[in-house]
Amino acid sequence: MLVISRRAGESFLIDGGIEVVVLEMTNDKVKIGINAPRDIRVIRRELRDTENLNLESVACAADVDFCELSHALSRKKENLR
Amino acid sequence: MERVWMNKMGKNSKKGNEPCVIRFPMGILGFEDVGEYTVRRHGEGPVFELRAAGRDYPGFILFEAESIEKGYRPALPDELLKALEAPDEGELCFFVIAVVPKDVGETTVNLKSPLAVNFRAGLAAQTVLDGTDYSLRHRIFSKNGGR
């Protein structure tokens, strides 16, 4: 992974056409601005991960053994008592 | 959990297990072209089935979020509350999508990206929470046989 150190207000370029600007930094958060052509899709990583998990959930849903799931939930409930 | 579910269903269903139609105006991530689903409680527990209305695909297994994480009531952005016609989060039910593999002991839920449902308005949305430590793959059964 390429690592670049930047201060607030500084930026870097990707492939010449995409600019990533560090706008603001607080203790545990960085605010970033992205200047990119409209056809470049910019999303938070968690969105793509969620999309993949949704697809995985659908793939599994047809074969779910509800009896086994109910038993496992009952056992969990009993263990918590 | 029963009380929340029954109250929020409102007059759409007198019994918790009756299917209820809800609209996802923005779709669900990965299935943006499907806007209408039926949700049905499975048995007496916290498990629900969400299926595209009028057809079986896509279908999801959901858990009532509160049953997994006590006190789960994430703050949502104002524009999302407005889209769901909810004055605040108290009007909403939160569900989490599960991945239930053949070995159900390996079941995980996505606490980071809940479904927020306003049963009174028949509206719902999946949102990806920002600035929380909730896991995308939260195991619901412990590994050492504690399930």
Side-chain angles (χ1 to χ4, degrees), chain A residues 25-43:
Chain A
M25 288 184 287
T26 55
N27 284 344
D28 59 350
K29 224 171 187 178
V30 179
K31 196 181 267 185
I32 289 168
I34 299 163
N35 291 311
R38 283 194 176 276
D39 59 335
I40 299 287
R41 190 182 181 218
V42 179
I43 57 166

PDB file of all heavy atoms in Angstrom, chain A residues 25-43:
ATOM      1  N   MET A  25      -8.962  17.758  10.080  1.00  0.00           N
ATOM      2  CA  MET A  25      -8.611  16.606  10.920  1.00  0.00           C
ATOM      3  C   MET A  25      -8.982  16.915  12.361  1.00  0.00           C
ATOM      4  O   MET A  25      -8.716  18.007  12.857  1.00  0.00           O
ATOM      5  CB  MET A  25      -7.112  16.331  10.837  1.00  0.00           C
ATOM      6  CG  MET A  25      -6.695  15.738   9.508  1.00  0.00           C
ATOM      7  SD  MET A  25      -4.955  15.328   9.480  1.00  0.00           S
ATOM      8  CE  MET A  25      -4.209  16.929   9.368  1.00  0.00           C
ATOM      9  N   THR A  26      -9.650  15.924  12.987  1.00  0.00           N
ATOM     10  CA  THR A  26      -9.903  16.036  14.420  1.00  0.00           C
ATOM     11  C   THR A  26      -9.246  14.832  15.069  1.00  0.00           C
ATOM     12  O   THR A  26      -8.516  14.097  14.406  1.00  0.00           O
ATOM     13  CB  THR A  26     -11.424  16.060  14.723  1.00  0.00           C
ATOM     14  OG1 THR A  26     -12.005  14.905  14.132  1.00  0.00           O
ATOM     15  CG2 THR A  26     -12.085  17.311  14.164  1.00  0.00           C
ATOM     16  N   ASN A  27      -9.534  14.601  16.340  1.00  0.00           N
ATOM     17  CA  ASN A  27      -8.863  13.510  17.060  1.00  0.00           C
ATOM     18  C   ASN A  27      -8.963  12.160  16.342  1.00  0.00           C
ATOM     19  O   ASN A  27      -7.989  11.462  16.176  1.00  0.00           O
ATOM     20  CB  ASN A  27      -9.441  13.372  18.462  1.00  0.00           C
ATOM     21  CG  ASN A  27      -8.904  14.476  19.355  1.00  0.00           C
ATOM     22  OD1 ASN A  27      -7.914  15.117  19.000  1.00  0.00           O
ATOM     23  ND2 ASN A  27      -9.572  14.711  20.459  1.00  0.00           N
ATOM     24  N   ASP A  28     -10.202  11.801  15.957  1.00  0.00           N
ATOM     25  CA  ASP A  28     -10.383  10.453  15.403  1.00  0.00           C
ATOM     26  C   ASP A  28     -11.057  10.468  14.033  1.00  0.00           C
ATOM     27  O   ASP A  28     -11.609   9.472  13.591  1.00  0.00           O
ATOM     28  CB  ASP A  28     -11.206   9.594  16.377  1.00  0.00           C
ATOM     29  CG  ASP A  28     -12.570  10.192  16.642  1.00  0.00           C
ATOM     30  OD1 ASP A  28     -12.810  11.341  16.232  1.00  0.00           O
ATOM     31  OD2 ASP A  28     -13.408   9.496  17.241  1.00  0.00           O
ATOM     32  N   LYS A  29     -11.047  11.598  13.361  1.00  0.00           N
ATOM     33  CA  LYS A  29     -11.746  11.680  12.088  1.00  0.00           C
ATOM     34  C   LYS A  29     -10.995  12.575  11.110  1.00  0.00           C
ATOM     35  O   LYS A  29     -10.403  13.575  11.503  1.00  0.00           O
ATOM     36  CB  LYS A  29     -13.149  12.269  12.318  1.00  0.00           C
ATOM     37  CG  LYS A  29     -14.224  11.524  11.570  1.00  0.00           C
ATOM     38  CD  LYS A  29     -15.586  12.019  12.006  1.00  0.00           C
ATOM     39  CE  LYS A  29     -16.656  11.153  11.386  1.00  0.00           C
ATOM     40  NZ  LYS A  29     -17.988  11.540  11.787  1.00  0.00           N
ATOM     41  N   VAL A  30     -11.052  12.194   9.855  1.00  0.00           N
ATOM     42  CA  VAL A  30     -10.468  13.010   8.790  1.00  0.00           C
ATOM     43  C   VAL A  30     -11.573  13.341   7.799  1.00  0.00           C
ATOM     44  O   VAL A  30     -12.301  12.445   7.359  1.00  0.00           O
ATOM     45  CB  VAL A  30      -9.346  12.231   8.051  1.00  0.00           C
ATOM     46  CG1 VAL A  30      -8.770  13.088   6.929  1.00  0.00           C
ATOM     47  CG2 VAL A  30      -8.263  11.806   9.008  1.00  0.00           C
ATOM     48  N   LYS A  31     -11.734  14.607   7.478  1.00  0.00           N
ATOM     49  CA  LYS A  31     -12.728  14.999   6.469  1.00  0.00           C
ATOM     50  C   LYS A  31     -11.985  15.160   5.142  1.00  0.00           C
ATOM     51  O   LYS A  31     -11.003  15.907   5.061  1.00  0.00           O
ATOM     52  CB  LYS A  31     -13.419  16.302   6.880  1.00  0.00           C
ATOM     53  CG  LYS A  31     -14.690  16.555   6.098  1.00  0.00           C
ATOM     54  CD  LYS A  31     -15.339  17.864   6.514  1.00  0.00           C
ATOM     55  CE  LYS A  31     -16.367  17.661   7.589  1.00  0.00           C
ATOM     56  NZ  LYS A  31     -17.088  18.913   7.921  1.00  0.00           N
ATOM     57  N   ILE A  32     -12.489  14.447   4.138  1.00  0.00           N
ATOM     58  CA  ILE A  32     -11.795  14.406   2.856  1.00  0.00           C
ATOM     59  C   ILE A  32     -12.703  14.916   1.744  1.00  0.00           C
ATOM     60  O   ILE A  32     -13.902  14.594   1.715  1.00  0.00           O
ATOM     61  CB  ILE A  32     -11.352  12.942   2.557  1.00  0.00           C
ATOM     62  CG1 ILE A  32     -10.203  12.554   3.494  1.00  0.00           C
ATOM     63  CG2 ILE A  32     -10.936  12.769   1.105  1.00  0.00           C
ATOM     64  CD1 ILE A  32      -9.891  11.088   3.492  1.00  0.00           C
ATOM     65  N   GLY A  33     -12.161  15.684   0.845  1.00  0.00           N
ATOM     66  CA  GLY A  33     -12.901  16.128  -0.336  1.00  0.00           C
ATOM     67  C   GLY A  33     -12.326  15.450  -1.571  1.00  0.00           C
ATOM     68  O   GLY A  33     -11.111  15.233  -1.652  1.00  0.00           O
ATOM     69  N   ILE A  34     -13.195  15.089  -2.503  1.00  0.00           N
ATOM     70  CA  ILE A  34     -12.722  14.400  -3.709  1.00  0.00           C
ATOM     71  C   ILE A  34     -13.230  15.124  -4.945  1.00  0.00           C
ATOM     72  O   ILE A  34     -14.445  15.294  -5.113  1.00  0.00           O
ATOM     73  CB  ILE A  34     -13.196  12.927  -3.723  1.00  0.00           C
ATOM     74  CG1 ILE A  34     -12.621  12.193  -2.502  1.00  0.00           C
ATOM     75  CG2 ILE A  34     -12.768  12.229  -5.017  1.00  0.00           C
ATOM     76  CD1 ILE A  34     -13.313  10.895  -2.188  1.00  0.00           C
ATOM     77  N   ASN A  35     -12.328  15.573  -5.764  1.00  0.00           N
ATOM     78  CA  ASN A  35     -12.705  16.148  -7.058  1.00  0.00           C
ATOM     79  C   ASN A  35     -12.434  15.092  -8.125  1.00  0.00           C
ATOM     80  O   ASN A  35     -11.281  14.716  -8.361  1.00  0.00           O
ATOM     81  CB  ASN A  35     -11.859  17.393  -7.367  1.00  0.00           C
ATOM     82  CG  ASN A  35     -12.198  18.548  -6.446  1.00  0.00           C
ATOM     83  OD1 ASN A  35     -13.372  18.870  -6.264  1.00  0.00           O
ATOM     84  ND2 ASN A  35     -11.186  19.161  -5.848  1.00  0.00           N
ATOM     85  N   ALA A  36     -13.522  14.579  -8.715  1.00  0.00           N
ATOM     86  CA  ALA A  36     -13.348  13.508  -9.705  1.00  0.00           C
ATOM     87  C   ALA A  36     -14.362  13.676 -10.825  1.00  0.00           C
ATOM     88  O   ALA A  36     -15.420  14.281 -10.618  1.00  0.00           O
ATOM     89  CB  ALA A  36     -13.547  12.157  -9.027  1.00  0.00           C
ATOM     90  N   PRO A  37     -14.077  13.159 -12.021  1.00  0.00           N
ATOM     91  CA  PRO A  37     -15.069  13.193 -13.096  1.00  0.00           C
ATOM     92  C   PRO A  37     -16.354  12.489 -12.652  1.00  0.00           C
ATOM     93  O   PRO A  37     -16.299  11.571 -11.831  1.00  0.00           O
ATOM     94  CB  PRO A  37     -14.389  12.415 -14.232  1.00  0.00           C
ATOM     95  CG  PRO A  37     -12.931  12.467 -13.925  1.00  0.00           C
ATOM     96  CD  PRO A  37     -12.822  12.524 -12.431  1.00  0.00           C
ATOM     97  N   ARG A  38     -17.485  12.907 -13.205  1.00  0.00           N
ATOM     98  CA  ARG A  38     -18.780  12.386 -12.770  1.00  0.00           C
ATOM     99  C   ARG A  38     -18.920  10.872 -12.963  1.00  0.00           C
ATOM    100  O   ARG A  38     -19.679  10.219 -12.262  1.00  0.00           O
ATOM    101  CB  ARG A  38     -19.913  13.091 -13.536  1.00  0.00           C
ATOM    102  CG  ARG A  38     -20.178  14.477 -13.002  1.00  0.00           C
ATOM    103  CD  ARG A  38     -21.491  15.023 -13.530  1.00  0.00           C
ATOM    104  NE  ARG A  38     -21.783  16.316 -12.948  1.00  0.00           N
ATOM    105  CZ  ARG A  38     -22.382  16.480 -11.765  1.00  0.00           C
ATOM    106  NH1 ARG A  38     -22.742  15.443 -11.064  1.00  0.00           N
ATOM    107  NH2 ARG A  38     -22.613  17.686 -11.297  1.00  0.00           N
ATOM    108  N   ASP A  39     -18.206  10.321 -13.933  1.00  0.00           N
ATOM    109  CA  ASP A  39     -18.364   8.887 -14.189  1.00  0.00           C
ATOM    110  C   ASP A  39     -17.532   8.012 -13.251  1.00  0.00           C
ATOM    111  O   ASP A  39     -17.553   6.797 -13.339  1.00  0.00           O
ATOM    112  CB  ASP A  39     -18.037   8.564 -15.657  1.00  0.00           C
ATOM    113  CG  ASP A  39     -16.605   8.958 -16.025  1.00  0.00           C
ATOM    114  OD1 ASP A  39     -16.051   9.862 -15.356  1.00  0.00           O
ATOM    115  OD2 ASP A  39     -16.047   8.358 -16.957  1.00  0.00           O
ATOM    116  N   ILE A  40     -16.789   8.639 -12.353  1.00  0.00           N
ATOM    117  CA  ILE A  40     -16.030   7.868 -11.363  1.00  0.00           C
ATOM    118  C   ILE A  40     -16.908   7.677 -10.133  1.00  0.00           C
ATOM    119  O   ILE A  40     -17.366   8.641  -9.532  1.00  0.00           O
ATOM    120  CB  ILE A  40     -14.726   8.598 -10.951  1.00  0.00           C
ATOM    121  CG1 ILE A  40     -13.811   8.799 -12.159  1.00  0.00           C
ATOM    122  CG2 ILE A  40     -14.009   7.847  -9.836  1.00  0.00           C
ATOM    123  CD1 ILE A  40     -13.129   7.557 -12.668  1.00  0.00           C
ATOM    124  N   ARG A  41     -17.174   6.420  -9.785  1.00  0.00           N
ATOM    125  CA  ARG A  41     -18.022   6.120  -8.640  1.00  0.00           C
ATOM    126  C   ARG A  41     -17.185   6.147  -7.369  1.00  0.00           C
ATOM    127  O   ARG A  41     -16.199   5.403  -7.253  1.00  0.00           O
ATOM    128  CB  ARG A  41     -18.680   4.744  -8.825  1.00  0.00           C
ATOM    129  CG  ARG A  41     -19.757   4.435  -7.829  1.00  0.00           C
ATOM    130  CD  ARG A  41     -20.314   3.045  -8.069  1.00  0.00           C
ATOM    131  NE  ARG A  41     -21.371   2.734  -7.126  1.00  0.00           N
ATOM    132  CZ  ARG A  41     -21.553   1.525  -6.588  1.00  0.00           C
ATOM    133  NH1 ARG A  41     -20.776   0.533  -6.931  1.00  0.00           N
ATOM    134  NH2 ARG A  41     -22.534   1.311  -5.733  1.00  0.00           N
ATOM    135  N   VAL A  42     -17.556   7.018  -6.442  1.00  0.00           N
ATOM    136  CA  VAL A  42     -16.844   7.092  -5.159  1.00  0.00           C
ATOM    137  C   VAL A  42     -17.813   6.679  -4.066  1.00  0.00           C
ATOM    138  O   VAL A  42     -18.860   7.306  -3.895  1.00  0.00           O
ATOM    139  CB  VAL A  42     -16.325   8.522  -4.886  1.00  0.00           C
ATOM    140  CG1 VAL A  42     -15.602   8.595  -3.546  1.00  0.00           C
ATOM    141  CG2 VAL A  42     -15.409   8.980  -6.016  1.00  0.00           C
ATOM    142  N   ILE A  43     -17.512   5.623  -3.355  1.00  0.00           N
ATOM    143  CA  ILE A  43     -18.381   5.165  -2.264  1.00  0.00           C
ATOM    144  C   ILE A  43     -17.539   4.809  -1.050  1.00  0.00           C
ATOM    145  O   ILE A  43     -16.345   4.524  -1.163  1.00  0.00           O
ATOM    146  CB  ILE A  43     -19.236   3.929  -2.653  1.00  0.00           C
ATOM    147  CG1 ILE A  43     -18.338   2.764  -3.105  1.00  0.00           C
ATOM    148  CG2 ILE A  43     -20.260   4.281  -3.705  1.00  0.00           C
ATOM    149  CD1 ILE A  43     -19.069   1.440  -3.175  1.00  0.00           C
TER     150      ILE A  43
END
